[in-house]
Amino acid sequence: MSGVRNFVAAVAHRTSLFLDDHWAFKYYVVPIVLMATVLFALAMGASRLTTSQSVELLAAFLFICFSVAASGVLLEKGIVWAQNRRQN
């Protein structure tokens, strides 16, 4: 059991380091994806969707999450690029 505990602690530590290095994910992507997950769960639980409608909603949710993550990465890269260009 301690092996699992060590693995979880290592993953949590690596995730913390990643979020410390990438501020756009920490303050932009993670909150939007968490809010979208809550809205997705509410939509799935509150409505009576068919299987195909559920799959379509899941695909739209994943597309939106991917788009938010990609825009966060591009935002961070653009700001870092602008800062580096300004220093030179």
Side-chain angles (χ1 to χ4, degrees):
M1 197 65 165
S2 68
V4 172
R5 198 171 296 148
N6 290 340
F7 175 75
V8 170
V11 168
H13 180 68
R14 285 192 303 260
T15 303
S16 175
L17 291 176
F18 176 80
L19 290 176
D20 288 342
D21 289 342
H22 300 284
W23 58 268
F25 271 89
K26 187 175 189 177
Y27 296 112
Y28 177 72
V29 174
V30 172
I32 290 175
V33 170
L34 289 177
M35 288 185 285
T37 303
V38 169
L39 291 174
F40 177 72
L42 289 173
M44 292 298 288
S47 62
R48 297 182 180 182
L49 300 174
T50 63
T51 304
S52 64
Q53 291 171 333
S54 297
V55 170
E56 289 173 1
L57 187 60
L58 178 63
F61 169 73
L62 292 175
F63 176 76
I64 290 168
C65 288
F66 178 76
S67 300
V68 167
S71 63
V73 169
L74 290 174
L75 174 74
E76 183 179 19
K77 297 273 185 197
I79 290 174
V80 168
W81 177 80
Q83 287 174 344
N84 290 339
R85 184 176 169 110
R86 188 176 193 193
Q87 289 176 355
N88 292 335

